[in-house]
Amino acid sequence: MAETKERDAGVSEPEAAEISLGRYLASIRKDRKLSLRAVEERSKKQVSNAYLSQIENGQIKQPSPNTLNALAELYEISLEKLMIKAGYITPSSKRRSGERHGRVATFAEHNLTAEEEQELMDYLEFMRSRKK
Amino acid sequence: MAETKERDAGVSEPEAAEISLGRYLASIRKDRKLSLRAVEERSKKQVSNAYLSQIENGQIKQPSPNTLNALAELYEISLEKLMIKAGYITPSSKRRSGERHGRVATFAEHNLTAEEEQELMDYLEFMRSRKK
DNA sequence: AGAAGATGCTTGATATATCAAGCGCGCTAT
DNA sequence: ATAGCGCGCTTGATATATCAAGCATCTTCT
């Protein structure tokens, strides 16, 4: 029955004891009602079913950002969330107390897509969670 | 004498035949007047001198984003530029011809730091260069 | 019941990232 | 000159990502 026995460990520091990358990805895949092989196909072979299985069972510690990106796009979830769970970045400082002056003007020239905006927001979150 | 003999190859597709990651990093390190060992120290041992040497000589194809991030911060250069040169993302489509509706309002609530803004701009570039 | 798939999983092979330790060379200083 | 240091570099060892191929189980169809 697998059991998995809390074989979690965590690449860097689990800290908040969040749900692991593997379990997270597995739960999402099930929610999307996709089989391992379906993901393999839809990802244009970027992620093999064998490999995804290992990731979901926690046998792979840190899949490459390529892989994570493929899954993020396929599942339509935030890449940064995966990057954090994979231990590429540390969600250490809760909030930068630094000085911030509202500057938005620059982005006016960029004509953002809705998706682009969403991704930028995600990335902003990501930026603020790492940084020393 | 080294020669290196155009042992470049490129992880994904060189396409624009830009300067390679190795040469780029080497040129910047020299500009910053740092030795391999100095970088090793300043990076808090995140990048060993041996390894950096290999990277600069093109013997390492794709250093991890951790490594790239350490170097980007140390040299104060754009992480995305390194990510592109390392082949993590493809600067394929010059410009998405897609529909974009100017949306900036959301960022008004975010009070961006100058650095954050810069990084977001970089990331926007990065986003637009990959994407199918 | 048995053929045919589909599903999750294991495993062996291969590639590659990363580092500790060491080598050889060029500088200074004694 | 020679002792020492800093330099870039090589190499062997280790860890890990990734996949092709296969296995066991379960479902469904005839």
Side-chain angles (χ1 to χ4, degrees):
Chain A
M1 198 223 269
E3 260 293 328
T4 335
K5 198 66 168 104
E6 258 342 314
R7 194 45 213 75
D8 231 76
V11 175
S12 296
E13 283 134 46
E15 297 211 351
E18 289 236 353
I19 188 174
S20 75
L21 175 69
R23 274 202 251 275
Y24 180 61
L25 286 175
S27 76
I28 294 211
R29 179 174 60 82
K30 275 162 198 161
D31 176 83
R32 302 294 191 270
K33 296 216 181 341
L34 295 171
S35 72
L36 293 176
R37 280 174 177 82
V39 172
E40 170 170 337
E41 283 164 27
R42 293 207 193 186
S43 74
K44 264 291 269 166
K45 297 279 184 186
Q46 264 207 249
V47 187
S48 75
N49 74 80
Y51 190 42
L52 183 53
S53 174
Q54 291 177 99
I55 292 174
E56 291 185 356
N57 294 336
Q59 294 161 54
I60 263 55
K61 312 203 172 174
Q62 202 176 48
S64 84
N66 289 300
T67 303
L68 294 181
N69 184 53
L71 294 176
E73 289 192 354
L74 214 160
Y75 294 154
E76 296 185 73
I77 56 182
S78 140
L79 168 62
E80 288 68 39
K81 194 165 195 165
L82 296 188
M83 294 283 272
I84 289 173
K85 283 186 186 299
Y88 280 118
I89 52 194
T90 36
S92 45
S93 57
K94 275 285 165 239
R95 185 62 48 209
R96 302 271 294 126
S97 57
E99 8 51 40
R100 49 177 45 108
H101 24 303
R103 64 178 55 215
V104 195
T106 326
F107 284 104
E109 293 138 26
H110 277 81
N111 258 55
L112 302 173
T113 297
E115 296 144 282
E116 284 176 339
E117 183 195 20
Q118 183 53 54
E119 266 201 88
L120 274 189
M121 305 265 300
D122 282 352
Y123 191 69
L124 178 58
E125 226 178 71
F126 151 61
M127 270 170 43
R128 289 188 169 168
S129 65
R130 87 193 144 124
K131 275 304 173 192
K132 207 172 353 303
Chain B
M1 190 217 281
E3 260 295 328
T4 334
K5 198 66 169 103
E6 255 347 310
R7 192 51 210 74
D8 234 74
V11 174
S12 296
E13 284 135 46
E15 298 213 351
E18 290 236 353
I19 187 174
S20 75
L21 175 69
R23 275 203 250 276
Y24 180 61
L25 285 176
S27 76
I28 295 213
R29 180 174 60 81
K30 274 160 198 163
D31 176 83
R32 304 293 193 267
K33 297 217 183 337
L34 294 172
S35 72
L36 293 176
R37 281 174 178 82
V39 172
E40 170 170 337
E41 284 164 27
R42 293 205 194 186
S43 74
K44 263 292 268 169
K45 297 279 183 187
Q46 264 208 247
V47 187
S48 75
N49 75 80
Y51 190 42
L52 182 54
S53 174
Q54 289 176 102
I55 292 174
E56 290 184 357
N57 293 336
Q59 294 163 51
I60 263 55
K61 311 201 173 176
Q62 204 177 46
S64 84
N66 288 301
T67 302
L68 294 182
N69 184 53
L71 293 177
E73 289 193 354
L74 213 160
Y75 294 154
E76 297 185 73
I77 57 181
S78 140
L79 168 61
E80 287 69 37
K81 194 164 195 166
L82 296 188
M83 295 282 272
I84 290 173
K85 283 185 187 299
Y88 279 117
I89 52 194
T90 36
S92 45
S93 57
K94 275 285 163 242
R95 187 61 50 205
R96 302 272 294 126
S97 58
E99 10 53 38
R100 48 176 49 107
H101 22 307
R103 64 178 56 215
V104 194
T106 326
F107 284 104
E109 292 139 24
H110 276 83
N111 259 54
L112 302 174
T113 296
E115 297 145 281
E116 284 177 339
E117 183 196 19
Q118 183 53 53
E119 267 201 89
L120 274 189
M121 303 264 300
D122 281 352
Y123 190 68
L124 178 58
E125 225 178 72
F126 151 61
M127 269 170 45
R128 289 188 169 168
S129 63
R130 84 191 147 128
K131 277 301 175 194
K132 206 168 358 304

